[in-house]
Amino acid sequence: MAETLKPVRGPRDFLGGRLRVFSEDNVWLWLLPLAVLISFFYLYPVFEAVRFSFTDATTSSGDDYSYTLRSYVQTLTLPEFYAMVRTTVIFVGCSVIGQVLFGMLIATLVYEGEMRNLPGFGIVRALVLVGWVLPGVVLGIIWKLLLDESGASFMAIPFGMFGIRDPVFLSAPVPALAWVIIANIWRGTAFAMILQYSAMKTIPPEYHEAATIDGASWFQRFRLITLPSLRNILLINLILATISTLNTFDMIMPLTGGGPGRSTEVIALYIYNVVFQEFDFGRGAAVAVVLSLIGIVLTLVYFRILTNKQDGFE
Amino acid sequence: MMKLVFGAAVSAAAVLHGQLAFADVYGDPNAPMTITWVTQPTQSPEAGNERYASYYKGKIEAFVAAHPEVKVDVTLNSNNGNAGMTKLLEQLAIGQGPDFATIDSFFVKRFLPYLTPMNDYYTEEEVNDFFPFAREAMVVDGKLKAFWVNTDVRNIYYRKDLVATPPKTWDELLEVAGKLSEEGHTGYIFPAGRGEAAVMEHLPMFWAQGGELIDEDGKPVFGEGANRDAWINVLTFMRKAVESGASPNRVANFGSESDMQPELARGNTAIFLGGCWMMSELKSLGDQNDWGVADIPLMTEGKPITAVGGWMTGVFTDNADKLPFIAELQKMLQTSPEAMDELAVVRDDLPTRASVVKMGSPYFQDPLNIAYMEMLEFGRPRPSSVIYPTISVELQVAISDVVTGAKSPADALDAAFDKVMAQYKP
Amino acid sequence: MSPIHRRSAIPVLLIYSGYVIVALIYLIPILWVVSLSFRPLQELFAYPPRLVPMKPTWDAYVRVIENSLILTYLWNSLKLVSLSVLGTIVVALPSAYALSRFRFRSKRQLTLIMLGILMVQLISPLVTILPLYRYFATLGLINSHIVVILVFIAMETPVATWMLKGFIDTVPTALDDAARMDGASRLQSLVLVLLPVLMPGIISVSILISVATWGEFLVPYMLLSDNKLQPIGVGVLDFQNTSDGVTTHYLAAISVLATLPALIVFLLVQRFIVGDATSGAIKG
């Protein structure tokens, strides 16, 4: 029954098997474009950035700088740095969990609705995406207007109905951080939704059909069919959402500027301020390196937790 | 079907794109000499505001008409001041800067190594016509490095129907504002968030007490001795304003002057601290109240003082052939008294040359403008030291920490000073 | 279509309530922006706030379209985004295929490679942009769209590769093995067999890349000196409040205009997802 394997014709046969390196079975050949691209457009600048983190360069110093560990020392010995790390961890943690959960929720809603041919699922899908398409800076401005405490904003309406004339949204440290997280979840849920929705779509509908015929409830189907298939995507989702949230500053900038005080100044925003407002490139690079290290640690943690089982990544 | 729609959309876009190609090179395309100018969008021929745009366009077109051998290439920098200045610096650092550019007065010190002196094109009389604070920034070691072309002042505005005489001291201000707040108004608002406005609007209060941010060598001293006390006084005053109810909590949201506009448009505010351009903005939002302008209240009664900002223009090329043309273009556009006078009317820009006031232009029919002009006499710019941006950021943090009650004035100030000193390199 | 048609009322009710809630959460800020864009200056910060302005006006849109380069910016964005997406998929797909279908020396090696690829994503463009600028300036490549596109591709390919690998992993190897047994080369099996099945995944990756690059500010801003080459992410910022007047409504109008193309494209693409997924590619 097994068909005889016909020889695959390729350059390998052409050149008598000598140029094995160009065989389509050489995995490195497949990965070459990626490697080239990353080296030229990423590794070199990254290397430079790391190099600069060991200098005292400013953005206008051109070639006039010297090597020093000062940037790192300054960064790590500042007490506020640890407060910022804590703020960043809270921000990233809550945002990522929120995004992934809401993304899953909405993806499920949309998928189930689609399966049942309920009209309207496409609209919901599109709406969520709009929130994501808007540039971060614009979102920051919009949310700032939405959260205007003087009453001219939309958010003030429900509070007004309860008789609270001067609601506190952004003018105190804790609510400010909370709202920044909410705005970030609002923004990033679309990404999680898209990922998980697409993964749900690759599950053969027959599995669901069979399960329903067997009398499984929606919840059982979700738990036993959908969730396991989402495993890999969830890992990717978590990692990507974490990385992207770690690097988010564009929305926070117009929303709170990092304030009040430093309560919403996440590390990425701090880097922006240091490089573009204080013109200190060496210090900015140093903090960026630290941030990347944090990201690497987090990613490794995710990996450990989520892939120590069989079907992890292979 | 979808393909058709998509195709149509693409073609439409292509056609429109062709139609709307804006000229950014003025003059004969074959002219041998090109002068490149980088400027802010609102100070360019492509400003969103039509009156601004036609002013700049008109001047450039007149210039190239008079000099057919020159063409002018205008590039717009970003409205986002800091990123824009950073980009300009980067370009200069690798030798790809423009011939001349509009620079934020705040950053001029960073541009000094690249600026070409223009002493040959201005008489001493002309230079002295500029206000003292402007001259100080423009002339470095005898070299005329840049020109301060427009400016602004900071002051308080008060509702004439609610406030009989404007307060001159902090105590008076708190009293008046406190009473008005009790009656249901918003007594007094001021910028106290993360933004340059929070620092700049309060610098006069600090300077009036004799406080200095940095010493002659550029070393930060604002956290030492009498300077420290001065800042603690200012911070304590701000905290008192919020605690006493004269000001609402939400001043911690106001990082820039424009952050205050939604609040002001609400129509409930009695007194506010801000910049002189805010009134015409407020009017454009439909405000009908009668406002007066007054000097910034100080700790104790004394000589008034205010902080000034604005834009400068500087030349980066050292091509001797181009310089005379650039000088002329600059005078036509921004640096001559005539240009400043026109700009005052068109853009509401406060001129930086004393002679402009005497030219009798319509701008000075408005008593508010005369008041601003008078404030220029005691205007002081921010120190253009390299460490100032860091000082500003740390002070912003301190201010918002104090106003929200997160830190005491002394703690906040000391923290700010320590941060700055850690960053400072002599 | 499927037996799930046989449904009780409860799940449907739940689903619809979910839709309503989600729709509201997302509609409110969006409607607010739209509302702002149609307001005359006097109503911009009206109190008490109303969603529908009393005297709606096209003023902001007119000004924005006439007096700014917005259409140019949108066109630039379209160009940059579509070419970046194309380029990214072209580079990422073979890489993802290789990572999914080849057996590596050890699972660890594969994991390391995957992680390595992802780590690249971690360094914020904030810091790489300055060296990048200098690097290209010395090569004389500043101010060209091609460079920006290449940088975008470099920025997005790691993510794209990761995600595509994940999608390819969900496709049983039986599928392409069957194709190769029938004599197809790897490339053929990738393009002719896997590609159609992966379409939903490829589309979502494309959407991801599009969104990431559409609003991108820093990279084009620093690498393109000519204002007329800038995409919308840069153009939008030119309308932030300055000391020359309140521009909130302009910003709102621009946001609407900037989002509209993305919305239209998505509506076009939506059909594709629906059509393909129901074809049930995996048959024995």
Side-chain angles (χ1 to χ4, degrees):
Chain A
M1 182 81 116
E3 308 187 15
T4 46
L5 278 169
K6 302 203 194 91
V8 176
R9 260 173 287 136
R12 181 177 51 180
D13 291 323
F14 238 55
L15 299 153
R18 225 147 288 146
L19 274 152
R20 208 165 283 252
V21 116
F22 286 112
S23 139
E24 64 161 22
D25 280 330
N26 181 352
V27 65
W28 305 112
L29 193 63
W30 287 86
L31 292 176
L32 194 62
L34 186 63
V36 166
L37 210 59
I38 293 185
S39 312
F40 272 102
F41 293 92
Y42 230 85
L43 288 184
Y44 172 69
V46 165
F47 171 72
E48 282 284 274
V50 173
R51 184 170 71 90
F52 273 106
S53 70
F54 288 101
T55 71
D56 58 359
T58 62
T59 49
S60 54
S61 61
D63 286 322
D64 169 41
Y65 52 80
S66 50
Y67 286 90
T68 167
L69 276 180
R70 218 162 157 235
S71 304
Y72 281 103
V73 170
Q74 281 173 3
T75 304
L76 295 172
T77 55
L78 249 23
E80 279 130 354
F81 186 68
Y82 297 96
M84 264 197 311
V85 170
R86 205 192 59 190
T87 305
T88 308
V89 167
I90 296 177
F91 174 66
V92 173
C94 297
S95 292
V96 170
I97 294 176
Q99 288 174 12
V100 171
L101 282 180
F102 275 113
M104 192 186 298
L105 184 64
I106 300 179
T108 312
L109 281 175
V110 172
Y111 182 72
E112 291 291 330
E114 190 176 355
M115 282 292 114
R116 293 150 204 259
N117 282 323
L118 296 180
F121 74 91
I123 301 180
V124 175
R125 203 171 48 184
L127 273 181
V128 175
L129 278 177
V130 172
W132 190 40
V133 170
L134 287 170
V137 186
V138 173
L139 278 179
I141 297 175
I142 292 170
W143 275 92
K144 178 157 188 161
L145 286 173
L146 278 177
L147 294 170
D148 182 79
E149 293 172 19
S150 65
S153 69
F154 193 87
M155 290 296 170
I157 297 181
F159 285 83
M161 292 198 296
F162 287 98
I164 306 178
R165 268 230 334 181
D166 290 315
V168 174
F169 296 132
L170 298 173
S171 57
V174 174
L177 187 57
W179 281 103
V180 166
I181 292 176
I182 292 175
N184 195 246
I185 294 179
W186 188 90
R187 178 190 189 189
T189 297
F191 171 42
M193 183 206 77
I194 271 270
L195 276 187
Q196 298 185 41
Y197 172 75
S198 310
M200 287 181 191
K201 298 278 288 220
T202 53
I203 301 174
E206 294 83 44
Y207 290 18
H208 286 290
E209 287 175 24
T212 316
I213 292 177
D214 282 349
S217 74
W218 162 83
F219 188 64
Q220 283 171 317
R221 274 191 295 119
F222 184 75
R223 201 162 56 88
L224 300 167
I225 300 178
T226 315
L227 218 42
S229 306
L230 284 183
R231 199 104 175 277
N232 289 344
I233 280 291
L234 272 179
L235 175 64
I236 299 178
N237 198 174
L238 277 173
I239 296 180
L240 290 178
T242 303
I243 293 180
S244 127
T245 311
L246 268 179
N247 283 337
T248 299
F249 71 95
D250 55 356
M251 191 183 67
I252 307 182
M253 207 168 49
L255 188 53
T256 61
R262 289 213 129 95
S263 54
T264 58
E265 187 157 1
V266 296
I267 299 183
L269 184 57
Y270 180 65
I271 297 176
Y272 175 82
N273 284 334
V274 166
V275 175
F276 287 88
Q277 282 192 9
E278 299 185 44
F279 299 99
D280 190 339
F281 191 48
R283 192 155 48 105
V287 181
V289 168
V290 171
L291 182 64
S292 313
L293 287 174
I294 295 180
I296 292 178
V297 166
L298 275 177
T299 307
L300 288 173
V301 165
Y302 285 144
F303 239 72
R304 262 300 153 78
I305 298 183
L306 288 169
T307 61
N308 53 2
K309 317 217 173 77
Q310 8 60 317
D311 59 359
F313 263 99
E314 45 146 74
Chain B
M1 166 59 189
M2 274 301 163
K3 281 205 184 129
L4 208 61
V5 171
F6 192 64
V10 171
S11 328
V15 167
L16 278 171
H17 177 241
Q19 298 281 56
L20 292 170
F22 285 84
D24 59 358
V25 177
Y26 296 85
D28 181 4
N30 300 318
M33 182 185 292
T34 310
I35 296 184
T36 51
W37 184 36
V38 166
T39 180
Q40 299 301 111
T42 52
Q43 297 182 56
S44 79
E46 290 172 48
N49 182 315
E50 281 178 69
R51 283 173 53 209
Y52 301 4
S54 48
Y55 170 83
Y56 290 100
K57 189 146 177 265
K59 295 293 177 193
I60 298 182
E61 283 177 344
F63 174 79
V64 293
H67 300 282
E69 70 275 29
V70 185
K71 57 185 190 287
V72 179
D73 184 334
V74 182
T75 308
L76 304 183
N77 210 341
S78 165
N79 256 345
N80 179 342
N82 292 326
M85 292 299 116
T86 307
K87 184 172 173 187
L88 193 53
L89 277 170
E90 261 301 307
Q91 291 173 334
L92 289 166
I94 58 172
Q96 292 198 5
D99 290 330
F100 73 107
T102 306
I103 9 185
D104 195 336
S105 60
F106 186 25
F107 294 127
V108 69
K109 200 124 190 196
R110 292 204 175 249
F111 286 98
L112 282 180
Y114 305 105
L115 286 165
T116 307
M118 295 291 278
N119 299 64
D120 295 336
Y121 303 96
Y122 288 80
T123 67
E124 194 152 336
E125 210 184 38
E126 287 180 290
V127 176
N128 288 335
D129 189 26
F130 283 84
F131 282 103
F133 71 83
R135 250 180 290 146
E136 234 190 274
M138 287 162 45
V139 182
V140 178
D141 289 335
K143 304 204 186 78
L144 182 58
K145 287 260 182 163
F147 302 92
W148 202 313
V149 296
N150 58 47
T151 185
D152 44 47
V153 294
R154 277 124 197 88
N155 47 265
I156 57 163
Y157 289 100
Y158 62 97
R159 283 266 297 271
K160 287 198 181 148
D161 54 323
L162 296 174
V163 179
T165 45
K168 286 197 165 36
T169 68
W170 295 347
D171 290 331
E172 282 175 27
L173 176 55
L174 289 179
E175 209 190 301
V176 170
K179 246 189 260 170
L180 287 167
S181 287
E182 272 166 39
E183 291 166 17
H185 302 281
T186 306
Y188 168 60
I189 64 170
F190 55 98
R194 286 287 297 264
E196 179 65 18
V199 172
M200 200 165 169
E201 258 72 318
H202 292 104
L203 279 178
M205 295 183 181
F206 167 69
W207 285 328
Q209 300 174 59
E212 292 294 330
L213 288 174
I214 55 178
D215 65 13
E216 315 86 45
D217 302 316
K219 176 163 163 260
V221 292
F222 67 92
E224 298 171 346
N227 303 324
R228 177 176 182 270
D229 295 334
W231 266 119
I232 294 185
N233 290 335
V234 176
L235 290 170
T236 312
F237 158 66
M238 289 196 251
R239 179 72 192 142
K240 250 188 10 194
V242 173
E243 264 176 357
S244 69
S247 305
N249 267 325
R250 49 188 183 269
V251 291
N253 286 337
F254 303 145
S256 71
E257 291 87 358
S258 35
D259 289 336
M260 296 197 276
Q261 293 293 5
E263 172 86 39
L264 294 172
R266 189 177 164 193
N268 213 20
T269 313
I271 307 177
F272 69 98
L273 173 65
C276 63
W277 63 91
M278 291 178 72
M279 191 41 63
S280 44
E281 270 182 22
L282 188 52
K283 290 297 171 194
S284 74
L285 290 173
D287 181 272
Q288 313 265 11
N289 295 306
D290 193 17
W291 292 88
V293 63
D295 301 323
I296 299 179
L298 308 169
M299 190 165 80
T300 53
E301 227 176 299
K303 272 178 26 175
I305 183 169
T306 185
V308 297
W311 291 88
M312 302 178 79
T313 178
V315 180
F316 298 109
T317 179
D318 43 19
N319 178 333
D321 295 326
K322 288 194 184 179
L323 291 181
F325 292 104
I326 297 182
E328 188 182 327
L329 185 54
Q330 278 185 324
K331 289 190 187 186
M332 285 178 75
L333 282 169
Q334 300 170 304
T335 57
S336 66
E338 294 77 22
M340 288 196 189
D341 185 43
E342 261 192 81
L343 280 170
V345 175
V346 168
R347 269 176 48 101
D348 242 355
D349 278 346
L350 219 48
T352 50
R353 292 177 69 151
S355 59
V356 182
V357 195
K358 308 191 190 78
M359 290 170 69
S361 92
Y363 178 72
F364 291 106
Q365 311 299 2
D366 186 343
L368 283 181
N369 293 333
I370 299 185
Y372 304 143
M373 215 48 198
E374 283 167 8
M375 290 182 185
L376 277 183
E377 303 287 340
F378 44 83
R380 229 182 114 159
R382 293 160 290 182
S384 63
S385 148
V386 156
I387 192 76
Y388 177 78
T390 307
I391 297 180
S392 175
V393 168
E394 295 307 327
L395 283 176
Q396 290 167 33
V397 174
I399 290 175
S400 61
D401 272 334
V402 165
V403 162
T404 52
K407 281 209 179 100
S408 76
D411 288 339
L413 186 68
D414 289 332
F417 188 62
D418 289 337
K419 274 295 285 293
V420 171
M421 287 317 283
Q423 250 81 271
Y424 172 66
K425 296 186 269 280
Chain C
M1 175 201 85
S2 76
I4 306 181
H5 267 138
R6 182 185 1 108
R7 57 193 185 241
S8 59
I10 301 180
V12 177
L13 208 60
L14 272 176
I15 292 181
Y16 268 118
S17 345
Y19 281 2
V20 169
I21 296 178
V22 170
L24 273 179
I25 294 179
Y26 278 86
L27 265 181
I28 289 172
I30 296 172
L31 284 181
W32 194 251
V33 181
V34 173
S35 166
L36 284 177
S37 70
F38 283 107
R39 293 191 195 188
L41 266 179
Q42 289 79 355
E43 285 194 55
L44 209 45
F45 303 121
Y47 178 79
R50 332 161 22 104
L51 195 55
V52 181
M54 292 198 284
K55 296 205 195 84
T57 165
W58 286 98
D59 200 42
Y61 288 97
V62 170
R63 289 289 191 84
V64 157
I65 296 183
E66 274 184 8
N67 292 336
S68 80
L69 295 167
I70 182 137
L71 291 173
T72 310
Y73 295 150
L74 285 174
W75 177 247
N76 288 333
S77 279
L78 190 64
K79 191 173 152 201
L80 288 175
V81 166
S82 43
L83 291 175
S84 301
V85 167
L86 198 62
T88 306
I89 300 285
V90 163
V91 175
L93 199 56
S95 315
Y97 172 78
L99 290 169
S100 170
R101 293 313 196 222
F102 279 88
R103 207 161 298 127
F104 282 79
R105 223 177 297 145
S106 68
K107 205 171 114 181
R108 248 191 107 237
Q109 193 199 34
L110 175 61
T111 312
L112 280 175
I113 296 179
M114 294 296 293
L115 274 179
I117 293 178
L118 209 56
M119 291 317 160
V120 170
Q121 204 77 25
L122 273 171
I123 303 258
S124 159
L126 270 177
V127 179
T128 56
I129 195 61
L130 283 175
L132 261 181
Y133 175 75
R134 303 235 179 133
Y135 178 44
F136 287 122
T138 48
L139 292 174
L141 288 173
I142 292 298
N143 217 29
S144 94
H145 273 171
I146 301 288
V147 170
V148 176
I149 291 173
L150 284 173
V151 173
F152 279 168
I153 295 178
M155 277 167 59
E156 299 302 321
T157 314
V159 176
T161 306
W162 250 74
M163 288 178 36
L164 283 175
K165 174 190 183 296
F167 284 123
I168 299 183
D169 282 343
T170 63
V171 177
T173 49
L175 200 65
D176 42 318
D177 279 350
R180 295 190 63 214
M181 289 231 194
D182 283 346
S185 71
R186 280 193 183 276
L187 195 58
Q188 285 170 321
S189 72
L190 173 60
V191 174
L192 299 171
V193 175
L194 285 178
L195 194 62
V197 174
L198 286 173
M199 261 312 162
I202 292 185
I203 301 237
S204 25
V205 172
S206 304
I207 294 178
L208 168 77
I209 302 168
S210 308
V211 172
T213 50
W214 177 258
E216 176 67 40
F217 164 69
L218 213 49
V219 172
Y221 180 63
M222 292 299 278
L223 294 179
L224 295 170
S225 49
D226 188 352
N227 205 48
K228 290 200 324 214
L229 293 178
Q230 296 288 5
I232 194 69
V234 178
V236 166
L237 284 197
D238 274 350
F239 278 82
Q240 265 190 308
N241 277 349
T242 65
S243 57
D244 295 308
V246 181
T247 52
T248 312
H249 51 321
Y250 293 147
L251 199 56
I254 288 203
S255 307
V256 171
L257 288 175
T259 320
L260 231 41
L263 212 53
I264 294 175
V265 170
F266 182 67
L267 287 173
L268 289 172
V269 143
Q270 223 182 191
R271 290 209 176 173
F272 197 1
I273 298 185
V274 173
D276 228 77
T278 53
S279 68
I282 319 285
K283 295 283 186 238

